[in-house]
Amino acid sequence: MTRSRRLPPEQRRAHLIDAAIAVFGRLPVDQVSADDIAAEAGVSRALFYRYFSSAAEAFVAATETAVDGLVERLTTPSDGTLAEQLRTALGEFLRFAETHEPSVVALLRNGSVMATPGTSALIDRVRRTAVDEILARAEVTEPSAMTLMTLRSWVATVEVGTLSWLRERHLTAAELAAWLTDQLIAMSAATAAHDAALAGVVDR
């Protein structure tokens, strides 16, 4: 194991989080140990335990780092129609996902199996932000249960599509953003047939 240089506490913690992100991006969270993260960071197991009590705690910290970046991309202001704004936000999200692939893969692939209140709250924050942003930009203040179900289902589609894209790169980021936008339009149109309030938004 290569020993890393001495760092101030804040930088050391950030270094360990980066190492955790890299490991969780490669392996399911339940297969990662403190030793794996320490080895990735080039530090001793004892030094790892100065900052985190377990690999699970490191995962929470890594997840929080990824979430902060994703939320920033999802809430980037943009102009144009609702569809154009959505494509822009998706483009920002996908650029972040491509640049920070290990952290995004760790978040989307491992998040659902990490049964802790901390990670659940962080992952739900991303999903809730995505839904709230769409509602705000569509000027929908009192969404119906069916509308919320549609948006939440679409967010799940984005997650699965992003993981597939990062693994296979079968589309460009622009093509994927356009396809995901069309997916939401199609899903909203189907829901609008059963929800008069959403029908007005779809018409706009």
Side-chain angles (χ1 to χ4, degrees), residues 5 27 44 48 61 70 86 102 104 117 121-123 125 134 187 192-193:
R5 67 184 187 281
L27 299 172
S44 67
F48 171 86
L70 289 172
L86 184 59
V104 173
L122 287 168
I123 294 163
R125 178 185 164 207
I134 294 170
M187 292 171 70

Side-chain angles (χ1 to χ4, degrees), residues 134-198:
I134 294 170
L135 291 172
R137 296 185 191 209
E139 300 178 356
V140 176
T141 56
E142 297 183 4
S144 67
M146 193 171 288
T147 293
L148 289 174
M149 188 185 305
T150 300
L151 294 179
R152 290 165 183 161
S153 297
W154 177 77
V155 169
T157 299
V158 172
E159 293 179 15
V160 173
T162 299
L163 281 174
S164 176
W165 175 69
L166 289 173
R167 182 174 59 251
E168 300 170 5
R169 304 301 172 104
H170 42 359
L171 300 171
T172 66
E175 288 171 336
L176 179 57
W179 180 78
L180 288 170
T181 300
D182 289 346
Q183 286 289 314
L184 180 56
I185 292 171
M187 292 171 70
S188 298
T191 301
H194 306 272
D195 187 334
L198 185 60

Side-chain angles (χ1 to χ4, degrees), residues 65-133:
T65 298
V67 164
D68 287 343
L70 289 172
V71 167
E72 180 181 352
R73 296 311 189 279
L74 290 173
T75 56
T76 300
S78 60
D79 299 320
T81 65
L82 182 57
E84 289 168 343
Q85 291 181 50
L86 184 59
R87 280 194 296 272
T88 298
L90 283 168
E92 288 292 326
F93 170 81
L94 293 173
R95 274 190 288 275
F96 179 88
E98 189 169 28
T99 303
H100 304 276
E101 182 174 345
S103 61
V104 173
V105 170
L107 174 65
L108 299 183
R109 187 183 67 190
N110 290 319
S112 61
V113 300
M114 192 65 181
T116 70
T119 53
S120 295
L122 287 168
I123 294 163
D124 284 346
R125 178 185 164 207
V126 176
R127 294 167 177 156
R128 187 171 59 251
T129 296
V131 171
D132 289 347
E133 274 294 304

